[in-house]
Amino acid sequence: DQQVKQNSPSLSVQEGRISILNCDYTNSMFDYFLWYKKYPAEGPTFLISISSIKDKNEDGRFTVFLNKSAKHLSLHIVPSQPGDSAVYFCAARAGGATNKLIFGTGTLLAVQP
Amino acid sequence: DAGVIQSPRHEVTEMGQEVTLRCKPISGHNSLFWYRQTMMRGLELLIYFNNNVPIDDSGMPEDRFSAKMPNASFSTLKIQPSEPRDSAVYFCASNFGEGSNQPQHFGDGTRLSIL
């Protein structure tokens, strides 16, 4: 039973346009959400995070939106660049003292020049 | 800054052999995580330590898998005996502060192939 779901295995976007990656979760106790980017043969790299007390966090070209009522988060990349082509994972942490993250299955983003 | 260091990067061995994967967390981090990535199951947590103590090992698949953290700068994940279905990429990650809003930082993984 997947608690964190990324329903789009892949996404293709033109350079300069917006990329929107989506993630849904089922556990209302999740209180901290993260996005990671992964290139082939490398480990996941932390990109951006958001606490459940916020609904938006922005860092340069990357913005994460959290809709708690819908149990949905999204990552917006504007403008998209070819170097953004990678697999993107969303992750969630259960509330309280735990350090455990639950990962989605990832979305492969291809930014076309 | 040195990140999480894993060794070896690649391991190919025959079924039944013992396999030991190694991880050095980022200095100052007190939580360490072992993950396995496969096509079928994605990225799944096997075990994590806080202050060198195993906190959650519910993801360890079976008794053939064991993990230790003898000190703050070193951990091992051992598979004995190994089986072909153990073939996967194994990642180690670390962060500081259990329950804090600190991201985990990953190593580049060990690609394990069991023949």
Side-chain angles (χ1 to χ4, degrees), chain B residues 63-94:
Chain B
D63 291 345
R64 297 184 298 106
F65 285 69
S66 62
K68 293 183 180 179
M69 192 163 187
N71 57 62
S73 59
F74 183 66
S75 176
T76 59
L77 178 67
K78 189 173 291 188
I79 308 172
Q80 166 64 17
S82 58
E83 296 182 3
R85 61 190 166 124
D86 302 330
S87 298
V89 182
Y90 291 81
F91 289 103
C92 177
S94 70

PDB file of all heavy atoms in Angstrom, chain B residues 63-94:
ATOM      1  N   ASP B  63      16.269 -12.321   7.622  1.00  0.00           N
ATOM      2  CA  ASP B  63      17.426 -12.481   8.507  1.00  0.00           C
ATOM      3  C   ASP B  63      18.760 -12.508   7.773  1.00  0.00           C
ATOM      4  O   ASP B  63      19.806 -12.378   8.406  1.00  0.00           O
ATOM      5  CB  ASP B  63      17.284 -13.769   9.324  1.00  0.00           C
ATOM      6  CG  ASP B  63      16.149 -13.661  10.335  1.00  0.00           C
ATOM      7  OD1 ASP B  63      15.700 -12.518  10.575  1.00  0.00           O
ATOM      8  OD2 ASP B  63      15.736 -14.702  10.878  1.00  0.00           O
ATOM      9  N   ARG B  64      18.723 -12.655   6.486  1.00  0.00           N
ATOM     10  CA  ARG B  64      19.991 -12.657   5.740  1.00  0.00           C
ATOM     11  C   ARG B  64      20.626 -11.272   5.740  1.00  0.00           C
ATOM     12  O   ARG B  64      21.806 -11.125   5.452  1.00  0.00           O
ATOM     13  CB  ARG B  64      19.751 -13.121   4.291  1.00  0.00           C
ATOM     14  CG  ARG B  64      19.245 -14.552   4.160  1.00  0.00           C
ATOM     15  CD  ARG B  64      19.135 -14.965   2.695  1.00  0.00           C
ATOM     16  NE  ARG B  64      18.177 -14.154   1.942  1.00  0.00           N
ATOM     17  CZ  ARG B  64      18.513 -13.226   1.060  1.00  0.00           C
ATOM     18  NH1 ARG B  64      19.786 -12.971   0.798  1.00  0.00           N
ATOM     19  NH2 ARG B  64      17.566 -12.537   0.426  1.00  0.00           N
ATOM     20  N   PHE B  65      19.828 -10.267   6.039  1.00  0.00           N
ATOM     21  CA  PHE B  65      20.304  -8.882   6.051  1.00  0.00           C
ATOM     22  C   PHE B  65      20.584  -8.461   7.493  1.00  0.00           C
ATOM     23  O   PHE B  65      19.778  -8.714   8.394  1.00  0.00           O
ATOM     24  CB  PHE B  65      19.245  -7.945   5.471  1.00  0.00           C
ATOM     25  CG  PHE B  65      19.111  -8.000   3.976  1.00  0.00           C
ATOM     26  CD1 PHE B  65      18.594  -9.121   3.352  1.00  0.00           C
ATOM     27  CD2 PHE B  65      19.489  -6.915   3.200  1.00  0.00           C
ATOM     28  CE1 PHE B  65      18.464  -9.164   1.965  1.00  0.00           C
ATOM     29  CE2 PHE B  65      19.360  -6.948   1.818  1.00  0.00           C
ATOM     30  CZ  PHE B  65      18.844  -8.076   1.196  1.00  0.00           C
ATOM     31  N   SER B  66      21.735  -7.797   7.670  1.00  0.00           N
ATOM     32  CA  SER B  66      22.045  -7.232   8.976  1.00  0.00           C
ATOM     33  C   SER B  66      22.791  -5.922   8.773  1.00  0.00           C
ATOM     34  O   SER B  66      23.486  -5.741   7.776  1.00  0.00           O
ATOM     35  CB  SER B  66      22.874  -8.202   9.819  1.00  0.00           C
ATOM     36  OG  SER B  66      24.110  -8.476   9.193  1.00  0.00           O
ATOM     37  N   ALA B  67      22.641  -4.999   9.711  1.00  0.00           N
ATOM     38  CA  ALA B  67      23.322  -3.714   9.629  1.00  0.00           C
ATOM     39  C   ALA B  67      23.884  -3.362  10.995  1.00  0.00           C
ATOM     40  O   ALA B  67      23.288  -3.685  12.024  1.00  0.00           O
ATOM     41  CB  ALA B  67      22.374  -2.619   9.153  1.00  0.00           C
ATOM     42  N   LYS B  68      25.040  -2.720  10.961  1.00  0.00           N
ATOM     43  CA  LYS B  68      25.688  -2.290  12.196  1.00  0.00           C
ATOM     44  C   LYS B  68      26.181  -0.863  12.046  1.00  0.00           C
ATOM     45  O   LYS B  68      26.459  -0.393  10.942  1.00  0.00           O
ATOM     46  CB  LYS B  68      26.879  -3.201  12.519  1.00  0.00           C
ATOM     47  CG  LYS B  68      26.504  -4.624  12.866  1.00  0.00           C
ATOM     48  CD  LYS B  68      27.732  -5.439  13.231  1.00  0.00           C
ATOM     49  CE  LYS B  68      27.354  -6.868  13.587  1.00  0.00           C
ATOM     50  NZ  LYS B  68      28.544  -7.693  13.924  1.00  0.00           N
ATOM     51  N   MET B  69      26.306  -0.201  13.178  1.00  0.00           N
ATOM     52  CA  MET B  69      26.907   1.127  13.201  1.00  0.00           C
ATOM     53  C   MET B  69      27.793   1.197  14.443  1.00  0.00           C
ATOM     54  O   MET B  69      27.339   1.635  15.507  1.00  0.00           O
ATOM     55  CB  MET B  69      25.850   2.217  13.205  1.00  0.00           C
ATOM     56  CG  MET B  69      26.442   3.581  12.941  1.00  0.00           C
ATOM     57  SD  MET B  69      25.207   4.788  12.471  1.00  0.00           S
ATOM     58  CE  MET B  69      26.276   6.154  12.047  1.00  0.00           C
ATOM     59  N   PRO B  70      29.022   0.737  14.331  1.00  0.00           N
ATOM     60  CA  PRO B  70      29.899   0.652  15.504  1.00  0.00           C
ATOM     61  C   PRO B  70      30.328   2.004  16.048  1.00  0.00           C
ATOM     62  O   PRO B  70      30.658   2.116  17.231  1.00  0.00           O
ATOM     63  CB  PRO B  70      31.112  -0.138  14.985  1.00  0.00           C
ATOM     64  CG  PRO B  70      31.082   0.042  13.507  1.00  0.00           C
ATOM     65  CD  PRO B  70      29.643   0.193  13.120  1.00  0.00           C
ATOM     66  N   ASN B  71      30.318   3.039  15.194  1.00  0.00           N
ATOM     67  CA  ASN B  71      30.644   4.383  15.664  1.00  0.00           C
ATOM     68  C   ASN B  71      29.956   5.404  14.768  1.00  0.00           C
ATOM     69  O   ASN B  71      29.323   5.034  13.769  1.00  0.00           O
ATOM     70  CB  ASN B  71      32.161   4.600  15.703  1.00  0.00           C
ATOM     71  CG  ASN B  71      32.815   4.368  14.347  1.00  0.00           C
ATOM     72  OD1 ASN B  71      32.500   5.076  13.383  1.00  0.00           O
ATOM     73  ND2 ASN B  71      33.710   3.395  14.268  1.00  0.00           N
ATOM     74  N   ALA B  72      30.112   6.656  15.107  1.00  0.00           N
ATOM     75  CA  ALA B  72      29.361   7.717  14.422  1.00  0.00           C
ATOM     76  C   ALA B  72      29.800   7.936  12.984  1.00  0.00           C
ATOM     77  O   ALA B  72      29.134   8.654  12.244  1.00  0.00           O
ATOM     78  CB  ALA B  72      29.496   9.028  15.206  1.00  0.00           C
ATOM     79  N   SER B  73      30.919   7.351  12.574  1.00  0.00           N
ATOM     80  CA  SER B  73      31.425   7.645  11.241  1.00  0.00           C
ATOM     81  C   SER B  73      31.466   6.429  10.319  1.00  0.00           C
ATOM     82  O   SER B  73      32.078   6.464   9.256  1.00  0.00           O
ATOM     83  CB  SER B  73      32.830   8.251  11.338  1.00  0.00           C
ATOM     84  OG  SER B  73      33.705   7.366  11.990  1.00  0.00           O
ATOM     85  N   PHE B  74      30.773   5.349  10.709  1.00  0.00           N
ATOM     86  CA  PHE B  74      30.877   4.146   9.877  1.00  0.00           C
ATOM     87  C   PHE B  74      29.686   3.220  10.102  1.00  0.00           C
ATOM     88  O   PHE B  74      29.261   2.999  11.236  1.00  0.00           O
ATOM     89  CB  PHE B  74      32.172   3.402  10.213  1.00  0.00           C
ATOM     90  CG  PHE B  74      32.423   2.192   9.362  1.00  0.00           C
ATOM     91  CD1 PHE B  74      32.663   2.311   8.009  1.00  0.00           C
ATOM     92  CD2 PHE B  74      32.419   0.920   9.927  1.00  0.00           C
ATOM     93  CE1 PHE B  74      32.904   1.199   7.217  1.00  0.00           C
ATOM     94  CE2 PHE B  74      32.660  -0.205   9.150  1.00  0.00           C
ATOM     95  CZ  PHE B  74      32.905  -0.062   7.799  1.00  0.00           C
ATOM     96  N   SER B  75      29.168   2.683   8.993  1.00  0.00           N
ATOM     97  CA  SER B  75      28.098   1.689   9.090  1.00  0.00           C
ATOM     98  C   SER B  75      28.299   0.644   7.996  1.00  0.00           C
ATOM     99  O   SER B  75      28.873   0.926   6.949  1.00  0.00           O
ATOM    100  CB  SER B  75      26.737   2.358   8.921  1.00  0.00           C
ATOM    101  OG  SER B  75      25.687   1.399   8.920  1.00  0.00           O
ATOM    102  N   THR B  76      27.823  -0.547   8.264  1.00  0.00           N
ATOM    103  CA  THR B  76      27.866  -1.626   7.269  1.00  0.00           C
ATOM    104  C   THR B  76      26.486  -2.248   7.116  1.00  0.00           C
ATOM    105  O   THR B  76      25.697  -2.309   8.066  1.00  0.00           O
ATOM    106  CB  THR B  76      28.853  -2.734   7.668  1.00  0.00           C
ATOM    107  OG1 THR B  76      28.463  -3.281   8.939  1.00  0.00           O
ATOM    108  CG2 THR B  76      30.274  -2.223   7.728  1.00  0.00           C
ATOM    109  N   LEU B  77      26.224  -2.692   5.916  1.00  0.00           N
ATOM    110  CA  LEU B  77      25.038  -3.495   5.610  1.00  0.00           C
ATOM    111  C   LEU B  77      25.549  -4.806   5.027  1.00  0.00           C
ATOM    112  O   LEU B  77      26.289  -4.792   4.044  1.00  0.00           O
ATOM    113  CB  LEU B  77      24.135  -2.778   4.604  1.00  0.00           C
ATOM    114  CG  LEU B  77      22.882  -3.538   4.150  1.00  0.00           C
ATOM    115  CD1 LEU B  77      21.907  -3.691   5.308  1.00  0.00           C
ATOM    116  CD2 LEU B  77      22.206  -2.811   2.987  1.00  0.00           C
ATOM    117  N   LYS B  78      25.181  -5.905   5.665  1.00  0.00           N
ATOM    118  CA  LYS B  78      25.709  -7.194   5.266  1.00  0.00           C
ATOM    119  C   LYS B  78      24.579  -8.100   4.790  1.00  0.00           C
ATOM    120  O   LYS B  78      23.484  -8.113   5.376  1.00  0.00           O
ATOM    121  CB  LYS B  78      26.450  -7.828   6.451  1.00  0.00           C
ATOM    122  CG  LYS B  78      27.238  -9.076   6.134  1.00  0.00           C
ATOM    123  CD  LYS B  78      28.068  -9.509   7.329  1.00  0.00           C
ATOM    124  CE  LYS B  78      29.206  -8.537   7.600  1.00  0.00           C
ATOM    125  NZ  LYS B  78      30.139  -9.035   8.639  1.00  0.00           N
ATOM    126  N   ILE B  79      24.852  -8.853   3.736  1.00  0.00           N
ATOM    127  CA  ILE B  79      23.900  -9.843   3.236  1.00  0.00           C
ATOM    128  C   ILE B  79      24.631 -11.189   3.217  1.00  0.00           C
ATOM    129  O   ILE B  79      25.671 -11.335   2.588  1.00  0.00           O
ATOM    130  CB  ILE B  79      23.414  -9.512   1.812  1.00  0.00           C
ATOM    131  CG1 ILE B  79      22.904  -8.071   1.737  1.00  0.00           C
ATOM    132  CG2 ILE B  79      22.309 -10.481   1.392  1.00  0.00           C
ATOM    133  CD1 ILE B  79      22.573  -7.606   0.320  1.00  0.00           C
ATOM    134  N   GLN B  80      24.081 -12.140   3.937  1.00  0.00           N
ATOM    135  CA  GLN B  80      24.715 -13.450   4.030  1.00  0.00           C
ATOM    136  C   GLN B  80      23.654 -14.526   4.294  1.00  0.00           C
ATOM    137  O   GLN B  80      23.011 -14.466   5.349  1.00  0.00           O
ATOM    138  CB  GLN B  80      25.770 -13.458   5.139  1.00  0.00           C
ATOM    139  CG  GLN B  80      26.270 -14.834   5.566  1.00  0.00           C
ATOM    140  CD  GLN B  80      27.004 -15.584   4.470  1.00  0.00           C
ATOM    141  OE1 GLN B  80      27.436 -14.996   3.485  1.00  0.00           O
ATOM    142  NE2 GLN B  80      27.133 -16.890   4.621  1.00  0.00           N
ATOM    143  N   PRO B  81      23.462 -15.481   3.384  1.00  0.00           N
ATOM    144  CA  PRO B  81      24.046 -15.581   2.058  1.00  0.00           C
ATOM    145  C   PRO B  81      23.273 -14.716   1.052  1.00  0.00           C
ATOM    146  O   PRO B  81      22.079 -14.499   1.214  1.00  0.00           O
ATOM    147  CB  PRO B  81      23.871 -17.063   1.728  1.00  0.00           C
ATOM    148  CG  PRO B  81      22.599 -17.432   2.442  1.00  0.00           C
ATOM    149  CD  PRO B  81      22.590 -16.615   3.710  1.00  0.00           C
ATOM    150  N   SER B  82      23.964 -14.242   0.040  1.00  0.00           N
ATOM    151  CA  SER B  82      23.300 -13.403  -0.964  1.00  0.00           C
ATOM    152  C   SER B  82      22.523 -14.262  -1.960  1.00  0.00           C
ATOM    153  O   SER B  82      22.850 -15.428  -2.195  1.00  0.00           O
ATOM    154  CB  SER B  82      24.336 -12.535  -1.687  1.00  0.00           C
ATOM    155  OG  SER B  82      25.322 -13.353  -2.294  1.00  0.00           O
ATOM    156  N   GLU B  83      21.475 -13.648  -2.534  1.00  0.00           N
ATOM    157  CA  GLU B  83      20.636 -14.309  -3.534  1.00  0.00           C
ATOM    158  C   GLU B  83      20.445 -13.363  -4.720  1.00  0.00           C
ATOM    159  O   GLU B  83      20.533 -12.139  -4.554  1.00  0.00           O
ATOM    160  CB  GLU B  83      19.275 -14.667  -2.939  1.00  0.00           C
ATOM    161  CG  GLU B  83      19.351 -15.692  -1.810  1.00  0.00           C
ATOM    162  CD  GLU B  83      17.984 -16.074  -1.259  1.00  0.00           C
ATOM    163  OE1 GLU B  83      16.965 -15.582  -1.794  1.00  0.00           O
ATOM    164  OE2 GLU B  83      17.945 -16.867  -0.296  1.00  0.00           O
ATOM    165  N   PRO B  84      20.144 -13.900  -5.912  1.00  0.00           N
ATOM    166  CA  PRO B  84      19.960 -13.039  -7.090  1.00  0.00           C
ATOM    167  C   PRO B  84      18.922 -11.934  -6.876  1.00  0.00           C
ATOM    168  O   PRO B  84      19.078 -10.827  -7.394  1.00  0.00           O
ATOM    169  CB  PRO B  84      19.526 -14.028  -8.173  1.00  0.00           C
ATOM    170  CG  PRO B  84      20.208 -15.305  -7.797  1.00  0.00           C
ATOM    171  CD  PRO B  84      20.160 -15.328  -6.275  1.00  0.00           C
ATOM    172  N   ARG B  85      17.876 -12.204  -6.102  1.00  0.00           N
ATOM    173  CA  ARG B  85      16.843 -11.189  -5.881  1.00  0.00           C
ATOM    174  C   ARG B  85      17.312 -10.023  -5.007  1.00  0.00           C
ATOM    175  O   ARG B  85      16.590  -9.033  -4.856  1.00  0.00           O
ATOM    176  CB  ARG B  85      15.596 -11.817  -5.254  1.00  0.00           C
ATOM    177  CG  ARG B  85      15.833 -12.461  -3.900  1.00  0.00           C
ATOM    178  CD  ARG B  85      14.600 -13.261  -3.480  1.00  0.00           C
ATOM    179  NE  ARG B  85      14.889 -14.141  -2.363  1.00  0.00           N
ATOM    180  CZ  ARG B  85      14.214 -14.127  -1.221  1.00  0.00           C
ATOM    181  NH1 ARG B  85      13.223 -13.288  -1.055  1.00  0.00           N
ATOM    182  NH2 ARG B  85      14.517 -14.964  -0.249  1.00  0.00           N
ATOM    183  N   ASP B  86      18.508 -10.129  -4.455  1.00  0.00           N
ATOM    184  CA  ASP B  86      19.084  -9.016  -3.695  1.00  0.00           C
ATOM    185  C   ASP B  86      19.723  -7.985  -4.616  1.00  0.00           C
ATOM    186  O   ASP B  86      20.146  -6.909  -4.161  1.00  0.00           O
ATOM    187  CB  ASP B  86      20.134  -9.521  -2.712  1.00  0.00           C
ATOM    188  CG  ASP B  86      19.577 -10.544  -1.739  1.00  0.00           C
ATOM    189  OD1 ASP B  86      18.374 -10.470  -1.413  1.00  0.00           O
ATOM    190  OD2 ASP B  86      20.340 -11.428  -1.310  1.00  0.00           O
ATOM    191  N   SER B  87      19.819  -8.296  -5.902  1.00  0.00           N
ATOM    192  CA  SER B  87      20.414  -7.364  -6.857  1.00  0.00           C
ATOM    193  C   SER B  87      19.611  -6.064  -6.885  1.00  0.00           C
ATOM    194  O   SER B  87      18.389  -6.087  -7.097  1.00  0.00           O
ATOM    195  CB  SER B  87      20.456  -7.984  -8.257  1.00  0.00           C
ATOM    196  OG  SER B  87      21.258  -9.155  -8.262  1.00  0.00           O
ATOM    197  N   ALA B  88      20.295  -4.958  -6.661  1.00  0.00           N
ATOM    198  CA  ALA B  88      19.630  -3.653  -6.549  1.00  0.00           C
ATOM    199  C   ALA B  88      20.719  -2.600  -6.366  1.00  0.00           C
ATOM    200  O   ALA B  88      21.910  -2.922  -6.288  1.00  0.00           O
ATOM    201  CB  ALA B  88      18.684  -3.627  -5.342  1.00  0.00           C
ATOM    202  N   VAL B  89      20.290  -1.346  -6.281  1.00  0.00           N
ATOM    203  CA  VAL B  89      21.196  -0.280  -5.870  1.00  0.00           C
ATOM    204  C   VAL B  89      20.893   0.039  -4.406  1.00  0.00           C
ATOM    205  O   VAL B  89      19.734   0.279  -4.048  1.00  0.00           O
ATOM    206  CB  VAL B  89      21.039   0.984  -6.727  1.00  0.00           C
ATOM    207  CG1 VAL B  89      22.053   2.048  -6.280  1.00  0.00           C
ATOM    208  CG2 VAL B  89      21.242   0.661  -8.203  1.00  0.00           C
ATOM    209  N   TYR B  90      21.915   0.028  -3.584  1.00  0.00           N
ATOM    210  CA  TYR B  90      21.772   0.285  -2.153  1.00  0.00           C
ATOM    211  C   TYR B  90      22.348   1.666  -1.852  1.00  0.00           C
ATOM    212  O   TYR B  90      23.496   1.956  -2.169  1.00  0.00           O
ATOM    213  CB  TYR B  90      22.485  -0.787  -1.336  1.00  0.00           C
ATOM    214  CG  TYR B  90      21.796  -2.127  -1.430  1.00  0.00           C
ATOM    215  CD1 TYR B  90      21.999  -2.958  -2.534  1.00  0.00           C
ATOM    216  CD2 TYR B  90      20.923  -2.559  -0.437  1.00  0.00           C
ATOM    217  CE1 TYR B  90      21.341  -4.179  -2.643  1.00  0.00           C
ATOM    218  CE2 TYR B  90      20.264  -3.773  -0.538  1.00  0.00           C
ATOM    219  CZ  TYR B  90      20.482  -4.571  -1.647  1.00  0.00           C
ATOM    220  OH  TYR B  90      19.822  -5.776  -1.750  1.00  0.00           O
ATOM    221  N   PHE B  91      21.523   2.499  -1.235  1.00  0.00           N
ATOM    222  CA  PHE B  91      21.948   3.849  -0.889  1.00  0.00           C
ATOM    223  C   PHE B  91      22.055   4.001   0.620  1.00  0.00           C
ATOM    224  O   PHE B  91      21.262   3.428   1.378  1.00  0.00           O
ATOM    225  CB  PHE B  91      20.948   4.888  -1.396  1.00  0.00           C
ATOM    226  CG  PHE B  91      20.928   5.063  -2.881  1.00  0.00           C
ATOM    227  CD1 PHE B  91      19.912   4.509  -3.643  1.00  0.00           C
ATOM    228  CD2 PHE B  91      21.916   5.791  -3.522  1.00  0.00           C
ATOM    229  CE1 PHE B  91      19.883   4.667  -5.022  1.00  0.00           C
ATOM    230  CE2 PHE B  91      21.904   5.953  -4.893  1.00  0.00           C
ATOM    231  CZ  PHE B  91      20.889   5.388  -5.648  1.00  0.00           C
ATOM    232  N   CYS B  92      23.001   4.815   1.012  1.00  0.00           N
ATOM    233  CA  CYS B  92      23.125   5.238   2.398  1.00  0.00           C
ATOM    234  C   CYS B  92      22.856   6.742   2.430  1.00  0.00           C
ATOM    235  O   CYS B  92      23.199   7.469   1.479  1.00  0.00           O
ATOM    236  CB  CYS B  92      24.544   4.937   2.891  1.00  0.00           C
ATOM    237  SG  CYS B  92      24.906   5.482   4.555  1.00  0.00           S
ATOM    238  N   ALA B  93      22.224   7.219   3.489  1.00  0.00           N
ATOM    239  CA  ALA B  93      21.945   8.646   3.652  1.00  0.00           C
ATOM    240  C   ALA B  93      22.167   9.028   5.106  1.00  0.00           C
ATOM    241  O   ALA B  93      22.144   8.163   6.002  1.00  0.00           O
ATOM    242  CB  ALA B  93      20.516   8.968   3.229  1.00  0.00           C
ATOM    243  N   SER B  94      22.365  10.313   5.339  1.00  0.00           N
ATOM    244  CA  SER B  94      22.509  10.767   6.726  1.00  0.00           C
ATOM    245  C   SER B  94      21.893  12.145   6.888  1.00  0.00           C
ATOM    246  O   SER B  94      21.701  12.883   5.906  1.00  0.00           O
ATOM    247  CB  SER B  94      23.988  10.791   7.143  1.00  0.00           C
ATOM    248  OG  SER B  94      24.709  11.812   6.489  1.00  0.00           O
TER     249      SER B  94
END
